Amino acid sequence: MKRVRSLFTLMAICFFCVTAIAQTRKITGKVLSSEDGKSMDGVSVNIKGLSQGTMTDAEGNFSIEAVTGQTLVISYVGFKNQELVVDKNKTPVIHLERIDNSMQGVVVIGYGTQKKKDLTGAVSQVGTAQLEAVPVYNIENALQGRASGVRVTQNSGNPGGRIEVRIRGSNSMIGSNAPLYVVDGFPVTGGIDFLNPADVESMDILKDASATAIYGSRGANGVVIITTKKGRNGKGKIEIDSYYGSQTDTKRYKVLDASQYAVVANEWLKNQGLAPYFSPDDIKSLGSGTDWQDAIYRKAPVQNHTVTISGGNDKTVYSLSGNYYDQKGILINSSARRGSLGLNLTHEVNKIVKLDVNLKFGRNEIYRVPVDNGAFGKTMLSGALSAPPTLSVFDSAGLPTRIEQAYSFGSVDMRNPMIFASPRKDKTIANNILANTGLSFKLFSGLTFKTMLGMQYENDINNSFTPIIYTDDKGAAADGYSNTNSVLNENTLNYKKTFNDKHTVDVLAGFTYQSFSNRYENASVKGLSSNVTEDYNMGSASIISPPSNGFSEWKLLSWLGRVNYSYNSKYLLTASVRADGSSRFGTDNKWGIFPSGAVAWRVSEEEFMKGIKFISDLKLRSSFGITGNTALSPYQSLSRLSSNRTIYGNASEVIGYVPASLANPELKWETTAQFDIGFDLALFNNVLTFTFDYYNKNTNNLLAAVPLPTSTGFSSALQNIGEIQNRGLEFAMNANILDREVKWDAGVQISTNKNKILDLAGGSDILSPGVDIPFYSTTNIARVGQPFGVFYGYEEDGLTDDGLIKYKDTNGDGAISPADRVILGSPYPGFIYGFNTNLSYKNFGLNIFLDGVYGNKIFWATAGTQLNAFQRGQNQFADIYGNYWTEENPDPNAKYPKISSATVVNVSDRFVKDGSYLRVKSIILTYTLPVRKIGVNWCDKAQLYVSGINLLTFTRYPGLDPESNTTGSDSQDIGSRLNTGIDQGAYPTAKTIAVGLRLNF
Amino acid sequence: MKNIIVILSAITLLSSCSKALQEEPKNFLSPVNYYKTEADAQAAINGAYSSYYPDQVEYMILEIQADYATGGGSFTSINNIDQVLDAVGVGRTADSWKSLYIMVNRANAVLNRVPAIENMNEDVRSRILAEAHFLRATAYFNLVQNWGAVPLRRTETVDLSNVAIPRSPVDSIYQLIVDDLLIAEKGLPVSVGSATGKASTWAARMLLAEVYLNTENWTGAAQKADEVIESNQYALVTVSKESDFYKIFAAETSPEDIMSLHFSPTRASDFINYLHRPNTPFYNPGTGWYILFPNMQADIIKNWDNRDLRKSFNIYSKYVDNNGDPVSLPSSTPFLFKKYIKDQNGFNDFSMPMFRYSEAFLIYAEASCMADGAPSPLALERLNMIKRRGYGYDPATPSPVDYPPGLSKDQFRDTVMQERAYELMLERHRWYDLKRTGKAKEIIEAAKGKTFSDDRLLFPIPQDEINNNPGITQADQNPGY
């Protein structure tokens, strides 16, 4: 192919040399849209067979060097290609037609694609334009507020931190509730934070059973299908996108200043019957003292650079992208960096065989500093909140002041937050390789066979080092390694045919195999002799803990089949089934069958609807299906022995093996049955579109540790007992309000989800372990009839005569006991919403995106830690000053109780706060430089943009960030999973202002 | 067409690897791939032995409920002998129940799996099985004494088919215990050397003697005690001053040691921490939580003869600090126990006795008196041997402190009870002794100054058991709970 082309070029050059210059001319032309006559920007105009080409500018004009007789190919996404033979003396005007008349576009569904208008399931699509709007580290963050039914929360502002995605509520009590991520056809294990967000072309979110059942035992939580950019037939493109930004904190806690602290400290001492520490002169002269939060926060830079080179011809399409991302955290000693490289290549080897190669390499490095779930001196943020403002950050020797030793009324739990600063480190490096190759064979008319072989390899290294700061410190170091390997082989046969122009049938059958294995090793030591070697020479430490390691693997075999039938694009039917065999299930239940069915009726295609002009499209659809959640870790269905030790004499230990868990050969997946009904409506020629869904999901066979009588020798056994229901409504509306000189479109989505436990093993409540310091008691409960993890605690009733907190005797038995606890609120919102609007005028563009939640509560544990803290001479929130109970002025309704060690806080309604918020998530202003006008021909597009992320948050929540959830965990223990919606010293999210440049060549 | 056939057959071949779905764990063991060799059997019994260490918290409760000790700190509520155990106490006894049944299941696992092992030395096998019987009997003896009628599980729990088991009558439980110990006695070795963490035939006989005392099989008890005394394996340690008792209690083993719990610096006992204040050399150079102290109001202590070396050995009010000066204990804790101490590095790694030779003498004295209706000269002699040793005299020669002959059966029994209190103080016998002689109410009321509630005689059946064992209902709970 290449040789022919070079020959041609050679010939063309010869022509050029020999014949008159006049034969190669500048052809100018214009491209307009055939539906409204508007000029089209960015349309590719190429010379057929050659790699030369250009693009139209904002007025739809193009100019290209061509020879009479050559053919120009004009192409643009969503429009039918056109060809034009170059004719002298003609300035061609080309009208491009849209490919679809109604809801254009194609969605990616499991194992295939489907036109939007033929879709029977509930699928939301988020495309490049929306994904590019918010520059982020993790692409999941860009989903926030974009798709109805999808709730995305950034649980902690730690750079590289965890993002929690929930599609239509949470189904499982101990299994994972995260959706399945499929990247270019490969179901990924682990997260997707290795992906470069700029690489992502679209994310298709499969929500209902008919869309997700094809993923069988992994589909119950929804599926997010990520398609990365593949390149296009046409002239090669180089795209550069760079931005630099600055992040600052949005809110800080107000704490007592030095003179207020002194007054409160004296009050505490007085209430303990001790003499005051600070004299009245001291209090006058102290002033505001040290601002500890100033010492730990910083203005932090963020930058991101992506280069994408793509192009192709009608046989080969490629896209190569490289990215570098560097973000420092707004709290010191935290950061995230990532480098990634991606290559997608599609090549038609011959008429029958097509080759697809997708390679992704990513390496990220994250430095973490302890912040979340902190109390007193255990973490940086809680340390800064509790440090006395009367002390300075560093002492005269330049070391962090030993605040725990400064005052006799102080507490040994306090720590100077600066001990968490460098050289202390907690670093994780993750290397990720995702490699996929697929071959597809066009067998005979309509029949395609595809086989894919893919591999994902992840290697994580964690290094941590605690330095010696004071002379009595020992220092510690730990290293951990983890390797994960996953192999996938998929084979599918697809048959697509239209009979009699009316009946379209699309049949899919396939077999897949996926395996996963993980090995990890950890070593930790204490007692370093100096800080110099950090964690690089752990063998020289004085106390070496025994190393630990582990191994696990699982395999999944599946059969799948699906039929899509469409009659005249009017009546649509989908049926699918998947059989999954997983090694994790018990011997009696290795295989599970997951069927689904859906119907849709395109009402707008009916004769009686043709008269109603303002409705351009109306589709009613409904589906029902069964999906599963694997939920189990490997080996849990087997009985296990564990080892222990005993001593018979002479202090020598012997090893013993004892039964540790019972086998349950019947363990199986959790089953979710989901019913969905909805409609898609488009009015006024697609100017206004609506999508609406109602769904009802029932998950049963929930995995839970069922308690056993302890006389069996075991406390519990894992069984499939329990049922949870999720029901909700989803609504999305998009409007193309203006489309002239000024373009304006807007979209809004609202969704609700109600979660309810229908059945628990034995019917009795399960209590969460709650928060340790300072409560040491349950915060959440699982109870039949309530959402999973509602808050559970005491109700307060003012203060007692002694100034201590009084609790309500809700059960009227005359005593305050754990039986007086009631349900205090739910961590789940009544509804979540997002609003997006784009405005453009000439070369300027403005995009505003808002998102919010309403009706959820947050357990503000940070306030609990602070209030309890004055038992130990620690700093308090400024709010208590003048608002606490005193003996001189005993007010039973004072906001805060007596400042004394007798004051004990409990899990109560004092700490359950409204977590509703509306956030201006991003505002982006773009200016596209008129490169053609100023005669720059080597650059196709240059755009400057300024973006502000998280600029404003409207909320009543008194904590730092209403999105926080420091205890959201993936633990397998129900108790720990119940701890949800808790904010204890969460790392707040930052506000970012960034400036960027996009260049296309 | 041909291509399709090839592809389809390839797919079918691939799909027949459902064997691929079998899990083969690599980092842990499962009964499926274990219990195959003699080493496996030994490891299994080792695992069962690790449960032998009695639950420390139950230990505390048993000592505090009796007359000569009181509890402090989080154990203060145990002193309230006029009420049933509070929520914390109920939780603690539930933990103890749990660990006892774990021991039962581990012993049952050995009895279930070891007989099927091929190519195993038969002597080793019968010893291991005998040890399993011994451990199971130990667990059930604790359960029946503290909870009364408990569910009797004789087989290893391998699945959920046998979860519902009702409380068995006390007699049938004692029958199982006696049967187990008779088998154990035959299969256990005559000597275990210094590894007294392992059971010997004498340990089994001691336990059987204690069981017979409870079931009032006096001849049986006397017989077993006599066998141990005449075994030629043990000897009473010579004591001439009170610190000589540390030859028994601050040592790895001693001539008196029939069976004891062994520790090491990395596996230490917590119990000693309960007795001491921090930094009271030489008894405790380390931390101490001092929540178990002597009840000086108890008659047994008030009437303790000062010449009895065991008095100054067990209880102290002064210690010698690092400079050599005597220091009195602070007024909040004027008297503390010092029977168990830490070593000079601060580790709780001296052995703690489970069965001692001296107890055999006391069992014989009581049992033979009860069997004969009056103390025989041999019974009296054996009782006196312990008293003589306690006062620092040679046990074999008569001493000025000997008990006189001519005591009635009941008087003699009371005397033996008193001697047991002095000799076996803090060795988990007193509460059981008071219970089985029916003297608990009288003596503890006098010692603690509160009315004794009979409901305290038994621990409550754990709520988890009632909730999850269909064979036991709330109505089956012990009185008062």
Side-chain angles (χ1 to χ4, degrees):
Chain A
M1 208 59 229
K2 220 169 160 193
R3 272 166 117 229
V4 174
R5 205 183 309 154
S6 347
L7 199 56
F8 197 110
T9 322
L10 194 57
M11 282 165 61
I13 294 174
C14 292
F15 268 113
F16 181 80
C17 299
V18 168
T19 54
I21 290 174
Q23 287 225 292
T24 316
R25 5 183 317 252
K26 197 187 200 117
I27 308 286
T28 56
K30 207 174 169 90
V31 179
L32 305 174
S33 157
S34 67
E35 39 182 20
D36 54 12
K38 295 276 162 58
S39 54
M40 292 184 65
D41 178 13
V43 176
S44 289
V45 180
N46 297 313
I47 301 185
K48 188 165 187 180
L50 298 185
S51 54
Q52 293 157 257
T54 184
M55 294 225 281
T56 58
D57 63 12
E59 267 82 66
N61 294 319
F62 67 88
S63 93
I64 188 169
E65 294 282 323
V67 177
T68 310
Q70 282 181 324
T71 310
L72 296 178
V73 179
I74 297 102
S75 62
Y76 190 72
V77 173
F79 287 77
K80 294 194 183 132
N81 284 11
Q82 281 205 24
E83 294 184 14
L84 187 77
V85 178
V86 173
D87 197 356
K88 53 179 163 194
N89 298 329
K90 268 227 180 115
T91 305
V93 175
I94 299 119
H95 295 259
L96 288 186
E97 267 182 56
R98 271 196 202 276
I99 291 176
D100 293 274
N101 220 347
S102 65
M103 289 182 275
Q104 57 283 75
V106 151
V107 288
V108 182
I109 54 173
Y111 303 98
T113 59
Q114 199 164 33
K115 295 201 187 90
K116 254 200 189 130
K117 67 180 173 82
D118 291 335
L119 201 53
T120 52
V123 178
S124 290
Q125 188 176 56
V126 181
T128 334
Q130 293 155 307
L131 294 172
E132 274 175 356
V134 185
V136 288
Y137 170 79
N138 187 333
I139 190 80
E140 288 164 301
N141 221 335
L143 271 182
Q144 201 166 26
R146 298 284 183 192
S148 58
V150 180
R151 182 176 180 211
V152 178
T153 14
Q154 182 160 7
N155 288 336
S156 155
N158 214 323
R162 230 162 23 85
I163 309 233
E164 190 179 86
V165 176
R166 293 286 176 265
I167 300 177
R168 296 189 167 178
S170 302
N171 302 322
S172 178
M173 297 198 287
I174 66 173
S176 168
N177 280 315
L180 177 67
Y181 290 100
V182 177
V183 177
D184 292 328
F186 192 102
V188 165
T189 51
I192 51 166
D193 59 350
F194 62 91
L195 276 181
N196 171 10
D199 259 352
V200 176
E201 168 90 53
S202 74
M203 292 174 89
D204 294 276
I205 301 158
L206 310 183
K207 300 184 291 195
D208 75 333
S210 111
T212 58
I214 197 75
Y215 283 100
S217 68
R218 294 181 293 176
N221 297 327
V223 182
V224 177
I225 301 193
I226 297 172
T227 315
T228 55
K229 292 182 179 157
K230 298 278 185 313
R232 267 191 247 297
N233 177 354
K235 173 189 117 150
K237 263 196 306 193
I238 302 178
E239 294 162 84
I240 300 180
D241 186 344
S242 261
Y243 68 80
Y244 280 88
S246 173
Q247 308 160 85
T248 47
D249 51 287
T250 51
K251 185 173 169 188
R252 291 191 192 179
Y253 281 117
K254 284 201 189 38
V255 290
L256 297 173
D257 69 20
S259 58
Q260 294 170 325
Y261 172 81
V263 169
V264 174
N266 281 348
E267 172 79 13
W268 184 81
L269 289 163
K270 183 184 81 167
N271 287 332
Q272 296 298 111
L274 300 167
Y277 182 89
F278 295 97
S279 73
D281 288 331
D282 283 336
I283 294 175
K284 268 205 217 95
S285 63
L286 278 169
S288 55
T290 310
D291 182 348
W292 286 91
Q293 287 181 82
D294 234 4
I296 61 169
Y297 279 107
R298 64 179 170 192
K299 202 155 161 208
V302 60
Q303 56 174 310
N304 186 49
H305 310 282
T306 310
V307 177
T308 312
I309 303 176
S310 65
N313 54 30
D314 42 9
K315 290 261 190 300
T316 313
V317 198
Y318 68 92
S319 171
L320 173 72
S321 73
N323 164 262
Y324 176 72
Y325 174 93
D326 188 347
Q327 174 192 19
K328 298 271 182 294
I330 50 173
L331 288 173
I332 56 174
N333 210 10
S334 63
S335 66
R337 275 198 317 165
R338 177 183 54 217
S340 62
L341 189 66
L343 174 65
N344 284 338
L345 180 71
T346 311
H347 177 62
E348 279 179 28
V349 178
N350 55 37
K351 278 211 182 47
I352 297 178
V353 182
K354 191 164 92 141
L355 171 70
D356 255 297
V357 177
N358 303 310
L359 298 171
K360 308 249 172 305
F361 304 94
R363 178 182 165 96
N364 61 36
E365 174 196 80
I366 299 178
Y367 277 86
R368 280 190 187 81
V369 76
V371 177
D372 297 337
N373 295 318
F376 310 130
K378 296 222 183 344
T379 70
M380 183 184 269
L381 185 58
S382 59
L385 294 178
S386 35
T390 47
L391 299 170
S392 59
V393 179
F394 293 101
D395 63 16
S396 50
L399 290 176
T401 312
R402 296 200 79 157
I403 61 177
E404 69 273 19
Q405 296 177 348
Y407 299 128
S408 61
F409 55 87
S411 149
V412 294
D413 291 327
M414 292 202 283
R415 285 289 180 279
N416 191 320
M418 297 311 283
I419 63 169
F420 296 107
S422 187
R424 187 188 188 287
K425 83 175 169 206
D426 180 0
K427 174 171 96 163
T428 309
I429 292 187
N431 295 310
N432 246 298
I433 301 177
L434 183 60
N436 240 346
T437 44
L439 279 172
S440 74
F441 302 86
K442 277 207 192 62
L443 295 175
F444 54 81
S445 75
L447 186 66
T448 319
F449 172 70
K450 252 197 225 172
T451 178
M452 171 169 75
L453 185 63
M455 187 204 74
Q456 180 187 13
Y457 176 74
E458 180 174 345
N459 163 244
D460 289 335
I461 306 162
N462 180 260
N463 303 118
S464 74
F465 165 63
T466 311
I468 299 170
I469 301 175
Y470 308 111
T471 43
D472 50 338
D473 276 344
K474 294 247 167 16
D479 277 355
Y481 294 84
S482 162
N483 284 337
T484 303
N485 206 336
S486 177
V487 174
L488 171 76
N489 170 242
E490 274 184 359
N491 308 287
T492 53
L493 261 178
N494 188 246
Y495 179 68
K496 226 179 193 147
K497 191 94 177 186
T498 307
F499 303 98
N500 290 347
D501 243 357
K502 284 205 195 293
H503 307 270
T504 311
V505 166
D506 183 346
V507 182
L508 171 80
F511 172 77
T512 76
Y513 165 84
Q514 187 169 25
S515 78
F516 167 95
S517 75
N518 167 262
R519 265 197 93 137
Y520 67 87
E521 272 161 28
N522 293 313
S524 67
V525 301
K526 273 202 279 248
L528 308 174
S529 49
S530 87
N531 285 339
V532 174
T533 49
E534 294 188 4
D535 60 311
Y536 297 106
N537 187 0
M538 284 167 46
S540 64
S542 56
I543 303 171
I544 301 184
S545 312
S548 70
N549 69 355
F551 173 80
S552 75
E553 68 178 353
W554 55 256
K555 296 190 177 53
L556 186 69
L557 295 175
S558 321
W559 288 98
L560 51 102
R562 177 174 60 205
V563 174
N564 272 316
Y565 168 73
S566 140
Y567 174 74
N568 217 5
S569 272
K570 208 174 3 173
Y571 304 114
L572 308 160
L573 183 73
T574 307
S576 78
V577 72
R578 177 161 172 145
D580 268 343
S582 167
S583 63
R584 289 189 253 187
F585 303 142
T587 39
D588 294 348
N589 273 322
K590 290 277 187 205
W591 285 87
I593 311 254
F594 303 96
S596 81
V599 291
W601 176 25
R602 285 192 63 216
V603 184
S604 49
E605 294 293 300
E606 293 288 359
E607 281 306 315
F608 64 82
M609 288 293 290
K610 298 284 185 194
I612 307 178
K613 286 278 174 206
F614 70 91
I615 296 183
S616 35
D617 217 300
L618 172 60
K619 179 164 68 171
L620 298 176
R621 50 184 165 73
S622 178
S623 73
F624 178 79
I626 314 240
T627 47
N629 186 351
T630 336
L632 278 173
S633 295
Y635 314 130
Q636 279 178 311
S637 66
L638 303 176
S639 59
R640 310 165 98 200
L641 299 173
S642 66
S643 68
N644 61 16
R645 289 160 186 244
T646 189
I647 302 175
Y648 293 128
N650 304 317
S652 66
E653 297 181 5
V654 293
I655 308 237
Y657 277 97
V658 292
S661 76
L662 286 173
N664 185 350
E666 291 172 24
L667 273 183
K668 58 193 244 183
W669 57 95
E670 300 180 338
T671 318
T672 301
Q674 187 177 168
F675 168 75
D676 184 293
I677 188 165
F679 67 80
D680 304 301
L681 175 65
L683 300 174
F684 308 117
N685 215 10
N686 301 336
V687 166
L688 206 54
T689 56
F690 297 91
T691 306
F692 173 81
D693 276 273
Y694 163 78
Y695 63 87
N696 186 339
K697 286 203 293 188
N698 265 35
T699 307
N700 58 17
N701 290 326
L702 277 180
L703 278 170
V706 172
L708 290 176
T710 43
S711 61
T712 51
F714 298 98
S715 313
S716 65
L718 204 55
Q719 283 185 277
N720 295 89
I721 289 185
E723 197 173 331
I724 279 189
Q725 181 188 64
N726 279 297
R727 276 192 303 184
L729 297 167
E730 293 168 4
F731 174 75
M733 175 176 87
N734 280 294
N736 251 333
I737 305 169
L738 291 172
D739 201 6
R740 298 174 222 285
E741 282 270 346
V742 175
K743 293 196 193 358
W744 185 23
D745 64 68
V748 69
Q749 62 91 356
I750 293 186
S751 9
T752 72
N753 183 64
K754 230 171 129 159
N755 174 297
K756 185 156 79 162
I757 299 179
L758 296 179
D759 188 19
L760 279 177
S764 45
D765 299 338
I766 303 178
L767 300 174
S768 77
V771 174
D772 262 359
I773 304 173
F775 305 103
Y776 295 101
S777 150
T778 298
T779 44
N780 307 69
I781 188 175
R783 175 179 281 181
V784 175
Q786 294 287 337
F788 182 78
V790 283
F791 298 118
Y792 186 64
Y794 296 95
E795 283 180 335
E796 287 191 14
D797 191 17
L799 302 175
T800 65
D801 295 331
D802 294 318
L804 304 178
I805 298 176
K806 190 157 74 158
Y807 298 102
K808 265 204 197 114
D809 178 13
T810 50
N811 64 358
D813 65 351
I816 306 292
S817 73
D820 288 311
R821 292 182 294 185
V822 292
I823 294 187
L824 298 173
S826 167
Y828 303 106
F831 60 88
I832 63 178
Y833 56 94
F835 173 76
N836 182 53
T837 184
N838 285 306
L839 263 170
S840 68
Y841 174 65
K842 296 217 170 131
N843 289 342
F844 288 95
L846 175 67
N847 169 275
I848 301 178
F849 178 53
L850 312 172
D851 82 304
V853 304
Y854 183 82
N856 60 322
K857 299 261 185 288
I858 299 180
F859 186 79
W860 190 28
T862 320
T865 321
Q866 287 302 109
L867 190 57
N868 198 53
F870 223 96
Q871 288 205 9
R872 305 144 191 266
Q874 305 198 1
N875 204 358
Q876 290 291 324
F877 287 148
D879 194 38
I880 75 161
Y881 198 70
N883 288 322
Y884 52 85
W885 185 98
T886 54
E887 261 178 33
E888 298 80 46
N889 183 12
D891 176 8
N893 293 320
K895 199 166 173 198
Y896 296 100
K898 184 174 178 185
I899 309 269
S900 128
S901 60
T903 296
V904 167
V905 288
N906 265 311
V907 177
S908 67
D909 53 358
R910 173 186 290 263
F911 304 110
V912 176
K913 298 289 181 195
D914 185 2
S916 312
Y917 71 85
L918 168 62
R919 181 166 273 171
V920 179
K921 180 88 186 193
S922 74
I923 298 183
I924 305 188
L925 192 59
T926 57
Y927 173 67
T928 311
L929 292 148
V931 280
R932 285 293 134 83
K933 277 221 182 94
I934 59 180
V936 174
N937 281 339
W938 41 268
C939 178
D940 281 337
K941 174 167 139 179
Q943 190 182 69
L944 266 171
Y945 62 92
V946 177
S947 71
I949 314 294
N950 289 337
L951 292 173
L952 278 173
T953 307
F954 302 98
T955 179
R956 271 197 290 261
Y957 179 61
L960 290 181
D961 186 345
E963 246 188 293
S964 315
N965 181 3
T966 55
T967 49
S969 87
D970 300 313
S971 145
Q972 283 255 308
D973 163 47
I974 286 193
S976 313
R977 289 289 283 278
L978 273 173
N979 273 2
T980 185
I982 297 177
D983 170 9
Q984 187 177 33
Y987 194 130
T989 40
K991 173 171 70 178
T992 313
I993 311 255
V995 174
L997 179 65
R998 288 194 187 108
L999 293 170
N1000 286 3
F1001 302 105
Chain B
M1 205 56 211
K2 218 171 167 197
N3 293 335
I4 299 178
I5 296 177
V6 170
I7 291 158
L8 279 173
S9 25
I11 295 175
T12 333
L13 274 171
L14 281 169
S15 70
S16 64
C17 42
S18 50
K19 244 222 271 160
L21 299 179
Q22 297 285 71
E23 286 184 309
E24 278 167 18
K26 291 202 167 55
N27 63 329
F28 64 89
L29 294 171
S30 176
V32 173
N33 54 11
Y34 200 64
Y35 299 118
K36 302 263 188 290
T37 66
E38 188 173 304
D40 293 347
Q42 186 60 48
I45 196 69
N46 290 346
Y49 265 111
S50 75
S51 294
Y52 187 60
Y53 295 78
D55 184 72
Q56 309 273 17
V57 166
E58 189 199 46
Y59 196 157
M60 286 289 285
I61 294 178
L62 292 173
E63 293 297 335
I64 295 171
Q65 288 187 145
D67 58 340
Y68 57 60
T70 46
S74 61
F75 287 91
T76 317
S77 55
I78 311 280
N79 294 323
N80 301 340
I81 204 72
D82 50 344
Q83 302 160 16
V84 291
L85 289 171
D86 66 347
V88 177
V90 167
R92 284 173 159 156
T93 52
D95 286 341
S96 173
W97 164 289
K98 188 163 135 182
S99 27
L100 287 165
Y101 270 106
I102 286 177
M103 176 145 82
V104 166
N105 193 42
R106 289 176 181 177
N108 280 337
V110 171
L111 294 172
N112 187 18
R113 309 273 186 180
V114 168
I117 296 180
E118 297 170 354
N119 301 328
M120 188 174 166
N121 180 321
E122 285 312 311
D123 288 335
V124 173
R125 193 201 309 270
S126 71
R127 176 187 179 166
I128 288 179
L129 292 174
E131 288 175 311
H133 283 289
F134 173 80
L135 292 172
R136 185 166 74 176
T138 307
Y140 276 121
F141 188 45
N142 186 326
L143 283 166
V144 75
Q145 286 182 293
N146 287 312
W147 281 271
V150 295
L152 204 52
R153 291 193 189 270
R154 298 169 196 267
T155 51
E156 182 192 359
T157 309
V158 291
D159 55 33
L160 300 176
S161 57
N162 248 2
V163 166
I165 290 196
R167 297 180 70 176
S168 282
V170 168
D171 292 338
S172 57
I173 301 175
Y174 273 115
Q175 191 57 53
L176 175 75
I177 297 172
V178 169
D179 291 342
D180 271 343
L181 288 173
L182 289 173
I183 298 176
E185 160 185 71
K186 287 202 197 60
L188 289 171
V190 160
S191 165
V192 288
S194 60
T196 54
K198 277 184 182 267
S200 59
T201 181
W202 314 113
R205 286 173 223 235
M206 286 296 290
L207 183 56
L208 191 49
E210 286 183 5
V211 173
Y212 284 148
L213 284 180
N214 267 41
T215 57
E216 299 192 350
N217 178 350
W218 307 119
T219 17
Q223 156 114 27
K224 290 295 151 192
D226 190 58
E227 285 170 12
V228 174
I229 296 171
E230 299 298 322
S231 64
N232 259 336
Q233 294 287 325
Y234 309 103
L236 289 174
V237 166
T238 327
V239 165
S240 53
K241 52 188 188 309
E242 63 103 332
S243 57
D244 281 345
F245 278 106
Y246 283 127
K247 290 193 276 190
I248 307 171
F249 298 105
E252 180 65 24
T253 184
S254 74
E256 261 181 55
D257 179 12
I258 300 178
M259 190 166 182
S260 55
L261 305 172
H262 288 264
F263 301 98
S264 73
T266 47
R267 287 178 66 78
S269 155
D270 260 347
F271 187 72
I272 302 174
N273 288 332
Y274 296 139
L275 303 179
H276 292 281
R277 296 189 73 93
N279 289 320
T280 42
F282 84 117
Y283 312 125
N284 177 22
T287 56
W289 312 323
Y290 56 104
I291 45 180
L292 180 65
F293 3 93
N295 176 14
M296 305 308 279
Q297 306 313 310
D299 287 333
I300 192 85
I301 295 186
K302 281 206 288 218
N303 301 335
W304 209 343
D305 191 333
N306 286 329
R307 295 170 296 168
D308 188 340
L309 295 178
R310 292 169 300 191
K311 183 175 185 185
S312 53
F313 168 65
N314 272 297
I315 301 179
Y316 73 109
S317 60
K318 283 199 204 9
Y319 64 96
V320 173
D321 71 8
N322 287 326
N323 299 327
D325 305 319
V327 182
S328 282
L329 287 174
S331 55
S332 52
T333 55
F335 295 96
L336 289 176
F337 288 114
K338 65 174 175 70
K339 185 173 206 169
Y340 301 113
I341 58 173
K342 297 189 189 178
D343 72 11
Q344 288 314 294
N345 294 324
F347 292 122
N348 307 350
D349 59 354
F350 295 128
S351 325
M352 288 176 71
M354 293 294 274
F355 296 113
R356 279 198 297 131
Y357 192 45
S358 58
E359 190 194 349
F361 287 77
L362 295 169
I363 293 179
Y364 182 83
E366 178 185 355
S368 82
C369 169
M370 295 303 282
D372 297 341
S376 66
L378 182 56
L380 182 61
E381 176 63 11
R382 284 180 166 165
L383 175 62
N384 276 327
M385 284 172 81
I386 300 303
K387 184 169 186 185
R388 289 167 202 154
R389 196 274 293 266
Y391 280 66
Y393 295 108
D394 170 28
T397 11
S399 76
V401 298
D402 282 10
Y403 290 117
L407 292 168
S408 73
K409 175 177 93 159
D410 290 332
Q411 283 173 318
F412 189 75
R413 196 185 193 193
D414 287 344
T415 314
V416 176
M417 284 299 117
Q418 183 188 61
E419 200 59 34
R420 280 176 71 93
Y422 295 143
E423 178 67 23
L424 307 171
M425 185 164 278
L426 288 189
E427 291 179 46
R428 283 168 22 268
H429 288 286
R430 185 62 173 165
W431 169 256
Y432 295 133
D433 288 347
L434 291 175
K435 252 181 48 156
R436 66 183 171 80
T437 53
K439 296 279 172 73
K441 188 177 175 72
E442 170 198 330
I443 293 188
I444 296 175
E445 272 183 359
K448 298 278 169 89
K450 292 190 174 119
T451 329
F452 181 86
S453 160
D454 284 340
D455 292 340
R456 283 293 286 271
L457 287 172
L458 290 177
F459 291 152
I461 307 280
Q463 197 58 42
D464 272 339
E465 184 73 25
I466 296 179
N467 288 344
N468 301 309
N469 181 346
I472 299 183
T473 65
Q474 196 66 42
D476 295 327
Q477 176 62 284
N478 283 332
Y481 290 103

